Amino acid sequence: MHKHKGDHHHHHHHHLRGVVRSHSEPPLKDKASSTPSTSFAAIENYNNNHLFYEEEESETSCEDSVVRRYDEEEDSSWISWFCNQKGNEFFCEVDDDYILDDFNRSGLKNQVPFYDYALDMILDVESSDIDGTLHDHEQNNLIESAAEMLYGLIHARYIATTKGTSQMLEKYRNYDFGRCPRVNCSKQRCLPVGESDTPRLATVKIYCPKCEDIYSPQSRHQEQIDGAYFGTTFPHLFFLTYGHLKPQEASQSYAPRIFGFKVHKK
């Protein structure tokens, strides 16, 4: 069903990756929850924003935008493909076994539209298209966005596990998360952090363990990633686990001077 991807190459334009936008609310199989999850609020905004994204950005930023399309002919799995997309360098590859365990996905069904289709896409399972309604481009785009969101929310849980943390350790050692921009931190390695655990509230930031502050990532592609895909806990749990890697707090701080005299703070 969602694997008919070769014939619709057009750009995704989202403020936050994984935001699901559509002309209408998707026909969800699981309408059990009485309160609509936050993922549907974005869908209603689509009508207002749709023209802006289509007209403005398609002309101005074609060269920057990446055509984010998974082609089933590729050798890699969806997870490997996703993690290798430009801007997704912060993500590690979540173990299939972790995703397959229902317990690790508890509570996510109410947050992610097209949940079953999205899960199949992440795990490279061919979905059975029962009602025949999901062949059009727009719904395929919705499922791709839902797959990103589902993967991101699973990822935030996975990096708190022993295996996930050790995978992030390798990435930390490789400087995959960038360095602190503060001069007195002397190019200290950083870790990704979310300012909220709720999707679509804030984009991902990088946390410096030396000055213990957060900064925007250096790549504008990374700046669009949802912070909830890493969560508020991760860097602090990481340094609890790998205490020997925590640097000493930054002792130097910049002193403003006017003609050589220190400026006294009032």
Side-chain angles (χ1 to χ4, degrees):
M1 143 270 141
H2 52 244
K3 297 281 185 178
H4 306 283
K5 295 216 165 76
D7 58 347
H8 53 283
H9 290 270
H10 69 266
H11 306 306
H12 273 198
H13 297 299
H14 297 154
H15 282 315
L16 280 184
R17 286 221 190 125
V19 169
V20 181
R21 302 185 187 281
S22 143
H23 285 299
S24 58
E25 182 167 316
L28 277 180
K29 303 280 187 296
D30 50 319
K31 285 265 177 166
S33 60
S34 53
T35 52
S37 72
T38 50
S39 43
F40 303 124
I43 293 168
E44 295 184 8
N45 294 337
Y46 182 75
N47 288 330
N48 311 329
N49 300 337
H50 183 254
L51 284 172
F52 170 77
Y53 287 117
E54 291 297 310
E55 290 167 15
E56 300 277 325
E57 296 203 26
S58 56
E59 287 174 23
T60 54
S61 61
C62 274
E63 58 196 329
D64 321 313
S65 39
V66 183
V67 181
R68 300 169 54 74
R69 278 281 160 269
Y70 176 61
D71 187 348
E72 64 180 331
E73 270 97 60
E74 291 184 44
D75 293 334
S76 63
S77 63
W78 184 92
I79 292 174
S80 173
W81 168 83
F82 176 77
C83 293
N84 284 295
Q85 289 294 298
K86 189 170 187 179
N88 288 355
E89 296 83 3
F90 288 1
F91 290 94
C92 70
E93 294 195 18
V94 179
D95 213 30
D96 275 8
D97 293 340
Y98 183 84
I99 300 173
L100 284 163
D101 185 338
D102 294 351
F103 177 77
N104 298 325
R105 292 181 273 109
S106 64
L108 296 183
K109 195 160 190 165
N110 296 333
Q111 291 190 59
V112 182
F114 291 121
Y115 175 86
D116 294 320
Y117 290 109
L119 186 58
D120 284 349
M121 180 176 274
I122 290 171
L123 294 170
D124 302 297
V125 175
E126 193 63 71
S127 281
S128 53
D129 184 12
I130 303 155
D131 50 14
T133 57
L134 290 165
H135 285 292
D136 67 60
H137 295 186
E138 188 162 325
Q139 289 190 311
N140 262 321
N141 291 341
L142 281 169
I143 292 159
E144 288 224 355
S145 294
E148 284 191 27
M149 185 182 183
L150 180 59
Y151 183 77
L153 294 173
I154 292 169
H155 181 270
R157 297 176 177 190
Y158 180 69
I159 58 176
T161 67
T162 307
K163 191 166 185 185
T165 310
S166 69
Q167 281 174 242
M168 294 298 263
L169 171 62
E170 284 310 302
K171 295 175 73 65
Y172 177 72
R173 286 189 165 137
N174 290 334
Y175 294 94
D176 285 2
F177 310 121
R179 302 164 188 257
C180 182
R182 186 174 173 274
V183 173
N184 287 319
C185 285
S186 312
K187 296 187 164 59
Q188 168 63 44
R189 292 180 179 95
C190 290
L191 283 170
V193 68
E195 292 177 272
S196 169
D197 294 303
T198 307
R200 273 181 311 281
L201 288 184
T203 53
V204 70
K205 304 296 182 289
I206 56 172
Y207 168 81
C208 171
K210 198 161 193 168
C211 61
E212 299 184 324
D213 210 343
I214 61 171
Y215 302 89
S216 293
Q218 284 159 330
S219 147
R220 61 194 156 68
H221 293 285
Q222 292 167 345
E223 272 187 330
Q224 296 165 16
I225 304 289
D226 199 314
Y229 300 166
F230 300 88
T232 54
T233 299
F234 170 65
H236 317 299
L237 186 64
F238 181 92
F239 287 113
L240 272 183
T241 311
Y242 302 114
H244 62 288
L245 293 178
K246 184 148 173 52
Q248 285 190 308
E249 277 182 49
S251 50
Q252 281 180 298
S253 62
Y254 173 71
R257 293 173 186 271
I258 296 176
F259 301 124
F261 294 101
K262 276 191 181 178
V263 179
H264 292 290
K265 291 175 187 169
K266 288 178 182 173

